[in-house]
Amino acid sequence: MLLAALYATCLVVGVLVGLAGVGGILVPPALILLSGLEPHEAMGTALASFLPVALAGTWMYCRLGQVPRRTALPYMLGGLATLPGALLGAFVPAGPLVALLACTILFAGLCALRPPRPGGGSVFWQSGRGLCAIGAVTGLLAGMTGAGGPVLSIPWMIVVGVPPMTAVGVSMPYQIVTALFGTLGNARAGHVDFSLLPLLCGLELLGFAGGLALARRTPTSMLRRIIGVLCCGLGLFLLLRQAAA
């Protein structure tokens, strides 16, 4: 029964990513709560499962012309920090790591409920070095928590002046980097369940295709509210559960 709920969650996550560009943040806690994997392995497996959807999303947004190289390349370069993040996460006790994940999920929920407004930002943050710094910080956290990276970096990029559609488009190739190099680090530490991974990837990719088909018929604002409420509730639940433990 728990595994069936996990598979359904992965399918729904794929649909949400296809519809609104977000949703992958729900996979790490779903694996922790439903799969029986210990937190390090759950986070590593979740991060690895994002790779196929990131590849499909990159292809789609490249076709739409929303992946400018000037923005994408330094951003992806910063994403290489996911590898040391994954290696560092292997040495952090499970309790603090779950708390960090819960805070990340809460942040994602609040951003979904109240999307950040585009700001002028500074010249530095819109430069190659600034974008690389954003990618590095969020990549480090992605490697540690399995959160994927874009859920943190998209709001930050919008605030510093990157157009929202471009921020989402650039997040797709960035997620290829974070998923690939984070998986290398997690696999080295033995924190990826390769027996479970193919099914998770397949379900997320199937859901992603379905989400794209529904995208034109579903109000984005309603989806964001649903995702926001889910993330806030789940983040609070994980924090309370960790505090009780």
Side-chain angles (χ1 to χ4, degrees):
M1 183 64 72
L2 290 179
L3 282 179
L6 172 64
Y7 300 151
T9 300
C10 290
L11 189 62
V12 170
V13 162
V15 172
L16 292 175
V17 174
L19 281 169
V22 295
I25 189 68
L26 300 174
V27 178
L31 283 170
I32 291 172
L33 298 172
L34 302 173
S35 70
L37 298 179
E38 66 90 26
H40 291 92
E41 194 172 8
M43 293 174 189
T45 305
L47 187 59
S49 75
F50 300 146
L51 185 57
V53 170
L55 289 166
T58 297
W59 175 78
M60 183 188 74
Y61 278 94
C62 281
R63 288 189 63 190
L64 295 174
Q66 294 293 340
V67 188
R69 292 184 181 181
R70 184 177 178 181
T71 303
L73 290 178
Y75 191 35
M76 294 167 68
L77 182 63
L80 296 175
T82 313
L83 176 57
L87 296 174
L88 176 63
F91 295 99
V92 178
L97 207 57
V98 171
L100 178 60
L101 174 64
C103 291
T104 302
I105 294 171
L106 275 171
F107 174 80
L110 293 173
C111 287
L113 290 173
R114 297 193 65 181
R117 296 180 179 179
S122 67
V123 175
F124 171 76
W125 290 115
Q126 296 179 41
S127 68
R129 287 182 298 172
L131 291 169
C132 185
I134 294 174
V137 172
T138 54
L140 189 72
L141 290 172
M144 293 181 67
T145 66
V151 71
L152 295 171
S153 59
I154 289 175
W156 194 351
M157 291 183 75
I158 292 173
V159 167
V160 303
V162 177
M165 190 70 170
T166 300
V168 175
V170 170
S171 75
M172 294 297 173
Y174 171 72
Q175 187 153 343
I176 293 176
V177 174
T178 58
L180 179 60
F181 284 90
T183 299
L184 291 175
N186 286 314
R188 182 177 179 181
H191 292 155
V192 180
D193 187 337
F194 287 102
S195 64
L196 188 59
L197 184 60
L199 184 56
L200 299 184
C201 290
L203 289 169
E204 289 174 24
L205 198 55
L206 180 63
F208 179 73
L212 291 178
L214 293 171
R216 296 181 180 179
R217 308 175 189 176
T218 308
T220 303
S221 58
M222 181 183 71
L223 282 170
R224 286 191 173 274
R225 284 195 294 270
I226 293 172
I227 293 170
V229 171
L230 282 173
C231 286
C232 288
L234 189 55
L236 287 172
F237 173 75
L238 284 176
L239 281 176
L240 292 173
R241 180 174 178 265
Q242 191 58 42

